[in-house]
Amino acid sequence: MDVSGQVQQLTWLGSTEEWSLFWAQPRQQCEVYALCGAFGTCNQITQPFCNCLPGFSPKFMADWILSDFSGGCARKKLLQCENPIASNKDSDRFWEYPNMRLPEHPQSVGVNRDTECKSSCLSNCSCTAYAYDSDGCSVWFGELVNLQQLEGNDGNGSTLYLRLAASEVSSAKSNKGIVISTVVGSVVGLLGLVVMVI
């Protein structure tokens, strides 16, 4: 059993004096149960495999540096509904996380619209996320485990709406905007340089 949670069989290569992996179960790293811990998301095509959801950071950073992600992630800021000094108890927001393998242990809610699903989650401070798709409304309470970011062409993904403090949603959108404007600015600058050379 490897520290990654996989059962692995290796063979010793005398010529290179290295161990070579020839069998592992489960095959993909992201299939290991709770590999990234609570509020961590696994992505099979990136290194490291695990990252924290927006609004969260590694609970035990020293372990993450050693590639042990099992401790998971913790909220950076309290939800508004948990904050005793918050003036507006209903100002939590939801961060849209598309193309996800949804976490374990959903609970179904009998509603007919996305807005009703959102309201149902927002009305309970223990509700940490919701999803609304062809299967109806699903909500999650407490820690989210076994999240996986799927590839763009994978049709099995759903959109997860993660509950965050309003200030976390604003800062996450700002960071996203900064990245987009930096990329656009670089492309425009490069095109301008090409035009000047021509």
Side-chain angles (χ1 to χ4, degrees), residues 130-146:
Y130 79 93
Y132 188 84
D133 54 22
S134 57
D135 295 330
C137 176
S138 298
V139 294
W140 287 265
F141 297 94
E143 297 181 338
L144 303 180
V145 180
N146 256 24

Side-chain angles (χ1 to χ4, degrees), residues 55-185:
F56 291 79
S57 58
K59 193 179 282 187
F60 307 111
M61 183 55 84
D63 292 346
W64 279 60
I65 291 168
L66 297 172
S67 298
D68 177 3
F69 309 108
S70 59
C73 306
R75 283 190 188 278
K76 293 178 185 175
K77 294 185 180 177
L78 282 177
L79 294 173
Q80 292 297 103
C81 65
E82 296 173 328
N83 189 346
I85 59 170
S87 57
N88 184 357
K89 298 290 186 185
D90 297 321
S91 57
D92 292 327
R93 302 282 187 269
F94 290 95
W95 176 261
E96 184 178 332
Y97 223 89
N99 209 27
M100 297 293 290
R101 180 183 72 187
L102 297 176
E104 299 282 320
H105 314 301
Q107 293 187 26
S108 294
V109 177
V111 297
N112 297 318
R113 292 198 307 265
D114 177 43
T115 53
E116 292 174 350
C117 189
K118 177 180 178 179
S119 295
S120 173
C121 185
L122 203 55
S123 67
N124 185 331
C125 195
S126 299
C127 183
T128 49
Y130 79 93
Y132 188 84
D133 54 22
S134 57
D135 295 330
C137 176
S138 298
V139 294
W140 287 265
F141 297 94
E143 297 181 338
L144 303 180
V145 180
N146 256 24
L147 280 161
Q148 182 180 351
Q149 181 68 63
L150 301 175
E151 294 181 45
N153 58 357
D154 191 319
N156 297 318
S158 297
T159 299
L160 180 77
Y161 294 90
L162 175 69
R163 187 179 195 156
L164 296 174
S167 58
E168 286 295 326
V169 173
S170 301
S171 65
K173 284 183 178 174
S174 298
N175 290 341
K176 190 176 179 181
I178 289 167
V179 170
I180 291 169
S181 39
T182 303
V183 170
V184 170

Side-chain angles (χ1 to χ4, degrees), residues 3-4 29-53 57-58 61 63-65 67-73 97 101 146-149:
V3 68
S4 66
Q29 194 69 58
C30 288
E31 292 174 7
V32 173
Y33 183 80
L35 173 72
C36 302
F39 301 108
T41 180
C42 191
N43 189 329
Q44 196 64 44
I45 57 173
T46 63
Q47 287 290 338
F49 293 117
C50 294
N51 286 291
C52 290
L53 292 167
S57 58
M61 183 55 84
D63 292 346
W64 279 60
I65 291 168
S67 298
D68 177 3
F69 309 108
S70 59
C73 306
Y97 223 89
R101 180 183 72 187
N146 256 24
L147 280 161
Q148 182 180 351
Q149 181 68 63

